[in-house]
Amino acid sequence: MKIFSPLYRKALAWSRHPRAPWFLGVLSFTESSFFPIPPDVMLAPMSLASPQKAWRLALLTTLTSVAGGAFGYAIGLFAMDALQPWLQASRYWSSYQSAVQLFGQWGFWAVFVAGFSPIPYKVFTIAAGALAMAFPPFVLASLIGRGARFFLVAGLMAWGGARMEEKLHRYIDRLGWATVALVLLGVAVLRALDT
């Protein structure tokens, strides 16, 4: 089923919009604290469309994502009591509980892995605030994890250029379904750790 191809074409069109960097920054900020769509969907085609700006776009994505993570941290620190009933009713509750357990064991490394991987980073930002993790290590782990991820995405797209764009277009549906499978596997692993 080809549902990712049309989305990819739309994201590529948006990536060429004059205000695309603003959209990317807003998407990156909101994804780190509450929005479900990762900024990679804009960063990748924007880096393909303008390879000479790829590093700047990766830096913008990283900084706005970490700022959004700090906002998520503040939500956890100051509003967890108000947020908890909603969180318990949402699909993120088991991820949040797993994040709390991982923080108990790994702290800094839990934030780093969540920043780099497809695990919902927003859950870890809120958990870090709710558990009052020290803020400087939280920011450092977020900068390293998010930066590594976004600079890798931007670098691969800029390096691949038009060839990469053609291959992505050809295989985007397979890649999309593979990503969905990885996210489901990640959720299954987190649930297994939870029990």
Side-chain angles (χ1 to χ4, degrees), residues 97-127:
Q97 290 177 312
S98 298
V100 167
Q101 284 182 336
L102 289 172
F103 270 111
Q105 294 175 320
W106 303 101
F108 174 93
W109 295 107
V111 175
F112 168 76
V113 169
F116 187 77
S117 71
I119 296 170
Y121 175 64
K122 67 186 81 27
V123 171
F124 282 80
T125 66
I126 293 169

Side-chain angles (χ1 to χ4, degrees), residues 43-152:
L43 176 62
M46 287 175 72
S47 297
L48 279 171
S50 302
Q52 70 281 6
K53 296 180 182 175
W55 300 122
R56 222 175 325 153
L57 294 169
L59 180 62
L60 169 70
T61 309
T62 301
L63 295 178
T64 53
S65 180
V66 172
F71 181 67
Y73 181 97
I75 289 171
L77 188 63
F78 299 114
M80 192 58 202
D81 290 338
L83 182 64
Q84 192 164 341
W86 173 84
L87 194 57
Q88 286 175 323
S90 78
R91 63 186 173 105
Y92 292 113
W93 181 245
S94 62
S95 296
Y96 174 76
Q97 290 177 312
S98 298
V100 167
Q101 284 182 336
L102 289 172
F103 270 111
Q105 294 175 320
W106 303 101
F108 174 93
W109 295 107
V111 175
F112 168 76
V113 169
F116 187 77
S117 71
I119 296 170
Y121 175 64
K122 67 186 81 27
V123 171
F124 282 80
T125 66
I126 293 169
L131 297 173
M133 177 184 180
F135 192 66
F138 168 79
V139 171
L140 181 61
S142 295
L143 275 171
I144 295 169
R146 296 257 99 177
R149 173 178 168 169
F150 298 137
F151 276 90
L152 178 65

Side-chain angles (χ1 to χ4, degrees), residues 94-95 97-99 101-102 105 183-195:
S94 62
S95 296
Q97 290 177 312
S98 298
Q101 284 182 336
L102 289 172
Q105 294 175 320
V183 169
L184 292 175
L185 178 65
V187 168
V189 167
L190 285 174
R191 286 193 177 160
L193 290 173
D194 193 33
T195 57

Side-chain angles (χ1 to χ4, degrees), residues 9-23:
R9 283 194 295 272
K10 190 61 118 173
L12 202 54
W14 288 340
S15 71
R16 291 180 170 97
H17 191 279
R19 292 204 174 134
W22 287 96
F23 300 148

